[in-house]
Amino acid sequence: MRPLLLPALPRLWRDATTLQLGADPDRAVVLTAVDAGVASFLTSLDGRRTLPDVVAAPPAGLARTTAEALITALIARGAVVDADALTPRVEPDADAALPPLPPALASALLTHGAHAVDRMAARRRAHVLVRCRGRVGPVVAALLAAGGVGRVVVSGTGVATPDDVTVGGLGPDDIGRPYVLAAIDAARRASPAVDTRPGGGPPDFVVLAAGPLPPPGDQVRWTSAGVPHLPVLLRDGVAIVGPLVVPGRTACLTCVDQHRRDRDPAWPVLAAQLATDRRPEPAEAIVVSTAAALAAAEVTGYLEGAVTSAVGVSLEVGPPGVPLRHRSWTPHPRCDCLHSADAATPDGFAESARQ
Ligand SMILES: [Zn+2]
């Protein structure tokens, strides 16, 4: 182990001898009686030396037992992690400074401590398919790529139009280009290392960024295939993120449809028209960006194994001044999705990538 005191953790002096590491009132670590020896010892925790080397030669005035107790406490509180476990790996070169940590990893370390390494690895291993139409899908793809998701495959059809342009997604220069190529470029701008090649087996997760409603086939396809999925819809000026569907465990999109049908018998007729409505999406850029960020956070959280906000819940993002709205969805008694989900590999994934 090469102990590293988290570089992004603020060092805040409460008084001349009391040092607070971190600003979060629940997670901050407060060290008392901090003298020059302790301060120097903390500075030495830069990820370049091994733990035995660090405690074997503490700064003058600091007892070895004190150094050992201090570093044990800091590791237990998540303020010190093993630099060898980080990506990119820190080479044991005493003359080299620690390279800057990627923002996603630095942030995850502050929240999850040593567990951040496993969570980021889960992102890198993941394959997410973003089925795009309009503005929001390319932004989701870009945010997933920026967050370290290893493989982000984008699907879409047609040619990019001015209605597809938004902050962080397709740009003005993309107008007239094949939509899917422009969306792939948005992801690559966010992270040149991201793998955007289609095919290669089923995705671990699917984002349905599909305009006002997901295509009817997608409502059952991914549930039947056992692939978790998340709709990100734009209609009536509002973005609807969710529910995140975990096939066999939570309400599916057919359940949502059935609940709406209970409240409005004409819903299937209306839904069929909505699904083919090709008018420009009405939501403003702030709503699009907020929805895309929420969706990307839900996906990455799910991939890391976290319990996320949109499992069984849709989050509705309205224009500025309209509070975020949560709507819970329960499995519908007329839907058998909790019994029919099949984790078997579905057919046609390679073909789906550019549809
Ligand atoms: Zn269902």
Side-chain angles (χ1 to χ4, degrees):
M1 178 188 190
R2 298 179 188 277
L4 170 67
L5 180 61
L6 295 180
L9 206 57
R11 277 74 163 164
L12 310 171
W13 290 95
R14 300 178 69 90
D15 58 41
T17 59
T18 307
L19 178 62
Q20 177 172 319
L21 303 172
D24 186 293
D26 294 327
R27 295 197 300 266
V29 178
V30 177
L31 304 177
T32 57
V34 177
D35 56 18
V38 172
S40 177
F41 180 69
L42 294 175
T43 302
S44 75
L45 304 179
D46 60 3
R48 292 187 292 179
R49 294 191 294 161
T50 65
L51 179 58
D53 287 345
V54 167
V55 297
L62 184 66
R64 174 171 178 157
T65 53
T66 303
E68 290 173 339
L70 181 56
I71 200 164
T72 299
L74 291 173
I75 291 172
R77 295 294 298 273
V80 165
V81 298
D82 181 5
D84 276 345
L86 304 182
T87 300
R89 179 178 292 272
V90 178
E91 296 300 330
D93 181 348
D95 296 326
L98 182 75
L101 298 175
L105 176 59
S107 170
L109 284 167
L110 292 175
T111 305
H112 303 297
H115 298 294
V117 175
D118 292 335
R119 297 173 81 107
M120 296 305 295
R123 293 191 196 186
R124 284 196 305 278
R125 288 193 302 268
H127 168 190
V128 178
L129 171 64
V130 184
R131 286 175 60 76
C132 292
R133 172 188 150 189
R135 289 180 292 165
V136 72
V139 185
V140 175
L143 289 171
L144 292 174
V149 175
R151 190 167 186 202
V152 180
V153 177
V154 176
S155 72
T157 59
V159 172
T161 72
D163 295 324
D164 299 321
V165 173
T166 193
V167 179
L170 269 58
D173 292 344
D174 291 317
I175 296 170
R177 298 181 63 207
Y179 175 92
V180 68
L181 296 182
I184 290 171
D185 284 350
R188 287 179 176 163
R189 278 195 299 274
S191 174
V194 68
D195 181 358
T196 58
R197 293 171 297 174
D204 301 304
F205 199 101
V206 176
V207 178
L208 304 172
L213 271 184
D218 278 15
Q219 298 214 6
V220 296
R221 177 182 182 186
W222 306 108
T223 295
S224 300
V227 177
H229 48 284
L230 176 75
V232 189
L233 311 175
L234 295 174
R235 58 177 185 244
D236 295 357
V238 174
I240 303 160
V241 180
L244 192 160
V245 178
V246 185
R249 291 175 50 196
T250 69
C252 74
L253 301 184
T254 301
C255 291
V256 173
D257 250 2
Q258 293 287 351
H259 284 299
R260 290 206 66 158
R261 188 175 191 165
D262 288 347
R263 294 196 294 271
D264 181 358
W267 172 246
V269 177
L270 305 180
Q273 297 169 66
L274 267 178
T276 56
D277 189 346
R278 296 291 169 180
R279 285 177 300 165
E281 294 163 341
E284 65 171 295
I286 292 172
V287 174
V288 171
S289 295
T290 304
L294 271 176
E298 290 293 318
V299 176
T300 50
Y302 182 85
L303 294 173
E304 292 175 0
V307 177
T308 62
S309 303
V311 174
V313 175
S314 55
L315 312 169
E316 298 185 4
V317 182
V322 176
L324 184 69
R325 182 174 179 179
H326 297 68
R327 197 189 296 268
S328 296
W329 299 98
T330 56
H332 194 283
R334 285 199 302 274
C335 184
D336 63 353
C337 61
L338 296 194
H339 307 291
S340 65
D342 181 1
T345 300
D347 295 327
F349 282 105
E351 289 74 21
S352 74
R354 289 179 182 252
Q355 291 173 2

